[in-house]
Amino acid sequence: MQLDAQLDMTLPSASSETAVGRSRLQAFDRILGRAIEIPAAILVGLEIVVLLAGVVSRYVLHQPLVWSDELAAILFLWLAMLGTVIAYRRGEHMRMTAFVGMASPPTRAFLDTLATVSGLVLVGLLLEPAVEFAIEESWVHTPALDLANTWRATALPVGFALMLVTAVVRLVQESDWRLTGAALLLGACIAAGLAVLSPTLIGMGNLNLLVFFLLGVGALVFSGVPIAFAFGLSTYAYLMTTTHAPAMVVVGRMDEGMSHLILLSVPLFIFLGLLIEMTGMARAMVGFLASLLGHVRGGLHFVLVGAMYLVSGISGSKAADMAAVAPVLFPEMKARGAKEGDLVALLSATGAQTETIPPSIVLITIGSVTGVSITALFTGGLLPGLVLGVTLCALVWWRYRHEDLSHVARPSRTAILKALAVAIPALALPFVIRAAVVEGVATATEVSTIGIVYAVLAGLLVYRQFDWRRLVPMLVTTATLSGAILLIIGAATGMAWALTQSGFSQALAVAMKSLPGGPLGFLAVSALAFIVLGSVLEGIPAIVLFGPLLFPIARAVGVHEVHYAMVVILAMGIGLFAPPFGVGYYAACAISRIHPDVGMRPIVGYIVALLVGLAAIILVPWFSIGFL
């Protein structure tokens, strides 16, 4: 009886202590989150101010700020790393979840824990090398500001340390300790196995690339590990097991990949995409197109294709484009009897169709990793997107040629002109962005700031729609998505470097040059390869990983680099937005709030239409280079 009484007294005490500990951990997590998100939002704002000041001082005052690019580069790496931490904390790093979703609940819980543990292991392995790298960078000084490069490079170890803390907090809060232990034990067993097999793997020569970068990356990606972590872990394992390269090389290559000056425009175009939705500019463009075509058969489907084309000329983010267009059009399209499956299928297809419309983030990424002119890519990307839009519209016309529109009133000419007048400021923005680059007012990096100022003024003065309360969340969202994208670019750059150093790029060049059919055969094989890569790795990782390897080969076989860029981007886009593996398709479903299953059958026709358009781009180079 006395023992029972003691148990009754101790159990509530233990339970209350556990509850207090959990409450304190949650409070710490909230404080940590705000401590990261607020500086990240400030850094996005500072990037906009610094780059805009560079444009104004050079073009208006004719007194260039020679230090602006240096300061922007320092701030940018800090923004990228803090954004990476936020994305990790929110679980927003890009990962393939097709197989995870099909797993049983216990298996799914283990795979989700494995995804978190993979990040913990990677940053744990890279933290010390990152500190060494930051110290080594103290010998390098910026030419204008005369600052040690350590000020910039310190962002790497700080970001890794914050990710390490975040991983521990998440695992304690959300995961069963047995699952965490099992994931860590699995990692330890793999590491021990690689250490034991190291002599054998070295003796295999370049065949060991299949072990690390085909089997290794494939197993990690398909098990739901974020793509950036899969790349980073496989590269680290390859270098540590089969070479004498120090771990600091991985950090150095990641820094190189994330620090290209042209990538500064990535967060700014993401923010611009959020702005056009918030200020009502996207709604104005869609409203004008609807007044113009809404009364014809399949008219609102044509409007969806056209609206995605126009909005993509402002934003650089496909998710932002779809989020701006779908909520405006889908309610009316459903009211007219359109099926949900067809709506989400067409939205996904337009995501693939508009991948080449400037200022696409993929175009910017290709320019940064291959050295192709951004201005040439921006010019060459307009017509290929239009060609694929025509093939999609042809299918829409066929499917809806018997649509009953007897209940739909045709708007008057006055109503159309009024909608046009309202939409003109929004319709002008893509032309303002392109003209600023072509006329030399701003570089491709800086032009996004002109678009941001234009959108803010339009929202405040023209559309009178500017919710100041959404500004900070939008800045944080910008940092989060930018961090997820840039970590992938950094990890893929490290992996591409490892493949190049192994001699794989030379072997690939020989194999691709010997393909039958000459340039046409090379383009066809590249298109098929990037459809698969886009489906499995998403677009940017595939571009960063294979762009530096394949673009020199394209030039060697006589394919124009801009033409080749359009082919691989569109092929990658088709893979990205095609189920069952394409992550873009599931993003379209999430934005539309439509179950993925209902769009599986309707999207087949749209994928075929996209493939027809891609074949036309391959066969007719003029579509890509005719206006260069």
Side-chain angles (χ1 to χ4, degrees):
M1 293 291 293
Q2 186 177 2
L3 181 61
D4 291 343
Q6 289 176 347
L7 286 172
D8 289 342
M9 293 177 65
T10 56
L11 284 175
S13 176
S15 176
S16 62
E17 287 179 4
T18 302
V20 170
R22 185 179 294 111
S23 176
R24 288 176 177 172
L25 190 62
Q26 290 173 346
F28 172 76
D29 185 44
R30 286 194 298 271
I31 293 171
L32 179 65
R34 298 300 292 172
I36 299 169
E37 290 174 359
I38 292 174
I42 292 172
L43 285 170
V44 175
L46 287 175
E47 288 284 12
I48 296 170
V49 171
V50 170
L51 290 176
L52 183 62
V55 175
V56 173
S57 64
R58 184 179 63 252
Y59 193 77
V60 178
L61 304 178
H62 304 292
Q63 294 180 338
L65 300 176
V66 294
W67 48 263
S68 61
D69 284 350
E70 291 180 9
L71 180 58
I74 294 171
L75 298 175
F76 180 60
L77 189 59
W78 281 94
L79 165 62
M81 292 309 299
L82 292 183
T84 295
V85 179
I86 300 170
Y88 186 57
R89 182 173 175 270
R90 295 181 174 185
E92 294 182 7
H93 278 287
M94 301 174 191
R95 57 191 288 238
M96 174 180 277
T97 57
F99 291 108
V100 176
M102 294 187 289
S104 62
T107 303
R108 192 182 310 135
F110 174 72
L111 292 176
D112 287 338
T113 301
L114 182 65
T116 303
V117 168
S118 67
L120 183 148
V121 171
L122 179 63
V123 298
L125 292 171
L126 295 182
L127 182 56
E128 184 180 354
V131 173
E132 294 178 9
F133 178 77
I135 294 172
E136 288 291 326
E137 288 292 290
S138 64
W139 297 99
V140 181
H141 283 66
T142 59
L145 294 174
D146 194 30
L147 290 174
N149 213 32
T150 300
W151 287 98
R152 187 187 63 82
T154 303
L156 293 163
V158 170
F160 290 151
L162 289 172
M163 287 179 70
L164 195 64
V165 174
T166 301
V168 173
V169 171
R170 280 189 62 188
L171 288 171
V172 173
Q173 278 187 315
E174 301 174 7
S175 181
D176 187 328
W177 66 268
R178 289 167 295 189
L179 294 177
T180 302
L184 289 170
L185 180 61
L186 176 62
C189 291
I190 293 173
L194 290 174
V196 171
L197 294 173
S198 177
T200 304
L201 291 168
I202 294 173
M204 291 171 62
N206 276 355
L207 288 177
N208 59 30
L209 297 175
L210 298 177
V211 175
F212 292 97
F213 298 125
L214 184 62
L215 296 179
V217 172
L220 290 170
V221 168
F222 285 117
S223 62
V225 172
I227 293 170
F229 301 156
F231 284 2
L233 287 170
S234 298
T235 303
Y236 184 91
Y238 170 74
L239 292 177
M240 296 302 101
T241 305
T242 64
T243 74
H244 299 291
M248 193 170 66
V249 169
V250 180
V251 179
R253 298 287 73 75
M254 290 181 68
D255 172 63
E256 179 187 354
M258 298 169 71
S259 300
H260 282 290
L261 193 60
I262 188 62
L263 294 177
L264 278 167
S265 58
V266 169
L268 305 188
F269 277 122
I270 292 173
F271 184 64
L272 179 57
L274 298 173
L275 266 181
I276 64 167
E277 184 274 327
M278 188 258 277
T279 56
M281 296 176 71
R283 183 178 294 273
M285 285 190 287
V286 172
F288 166 64
L289 292 176
S291 70
L292 204 61
L293 298 171
H295 60 280
V296 303
R297 290 186 175 92
L300 291 184
H301 292 74
F302 296 139
V303 170
L304 176 58
V305 175
M308 282 293 291
Y309 188 93
L310 287 175
V311 172
S312 294
I314 301 173
S315 167
S317 165
K318 282 292 147 280
D321 298 340
M322 293 188 292
V325 172
V328 181
L329 278 176
F330 278 18
E332 178 62 23
M333 294 172 80
K334 290 177 183 178
R336 295 190 182 189
K339 296 178 180 179
E340 286 189 338
D342 193 55
L343 294 182
V344 74
L346 182 57
L347 181 65
S348 185
T350 57
Q353 168 226 337
T354 54
E355 283 284 9
T356 64
I357 308 302
S360 164
I361 290 174
V362 180
L363 287 179
I364 295 168
T365 304
I366 278 190
S368 72
V369 300
T370 65
V372 181
S373 164
I374 297 292
T375 302
L377 290 171
F378 277 16
T379 303
L382 292 169
L383 201 51
L386 187 61
V387 171
L388 266 65
V390 170
T391 61
L392 289 176
C393 288
L395 180 58
V396 166
W397 172 81
W398 176 261
R399 284 185 171 179
Y400 287 88
R401 65 192 185 281
H402 300 305
E403 183 183 15
D404 180 16
L405 293 180
S406 57
H407 61 288
V408 177
R410 179 170 185 166
S412 64
R413 182 174 298 179
T414 302
I416 294 174
L417 291 176
K418 183 178 179 180
L420 173 61
V422 171
I424 280 177
L427 293 171
L429 181 51
F431 300 98
V432 170
I433 290 174
R434 186 173 180 277
V437 175
V438 174
E439 298 299 324
V441 176
T443 65
T445 304
E446 299 166 334
V447 71
S448 52
T449 61
I450 295 176
I452 289 170
V453 171
Y454 184 101
V456 169
L457 292 176
L460 289 173
L461 304 178
V462 179
Y463 297 107
R464 304 296 178 92
Q465 187 175 328
F466 199 94
D467 189 350
W468 292 98
R469 294 169 298 181
R470 291 181 57 187
L471 198 56
V472 173
M474 285 166 55
L475 291 169
V476 174
T477 298
T478 298
T480 304
L481 183 54
S482 301
I485 291 171
L486 292 166
L487 185 65
I488 285 180
I489 292 175
T493 301
M495 187 170 163
W497 178 85
L499 288 170
T500 301
Q501 294 301 308
S502 70
F504 172 77
S505 58
Q506 289 83 359
L508 179 65
V510 172
M512 295 293 279
K513 286 179 182 177
S514 62
L515 287 172
L520 194 59
F522 173 74
L523 286 170
V525 171
S526 296
L528 291 173
F530 272 92
I531 288 173
V532 175
L533 291 170
S535 181
V536 176
L537 297 181
E538 297 196 28
I540 289 175
I543 292 296
V544 177
L545 190 57
F546 290 99
L549 303 179
L550 292 176
F551 271 75
I553 303 173
R555 286 190 285 265
V557 299
V559 177
H560 195 287
E561 55 192 10
V562 173
H563 181 210
Y564 189 63
M566 299 306 126
V567 171
V568 299
I569 289 173
L570 292 173
M572 173 273 300
I574 292 172
L576 177 62
F577 285 91
F581 299 131
V583 176
Y585 172 73
Y586 297 100
C589 293
I591 290 167
S592 309
R593 298 180 182 178
I594 295 173
H595 196 280
D597 290 349
V598 300
M600 293 290 187
R601 186 182 296 272
I603 201 173
V604 173
Y606 291 123
I607 294 297
V608 172
L610 291 172
L611 290 173
V612 171
L614 177 59
I617 301 301
I618 291 174
L619 294 171
V620 186
W622 182 85
F623 288 138
S624 303
I625 61 177
F627 293 99
L628 297 183

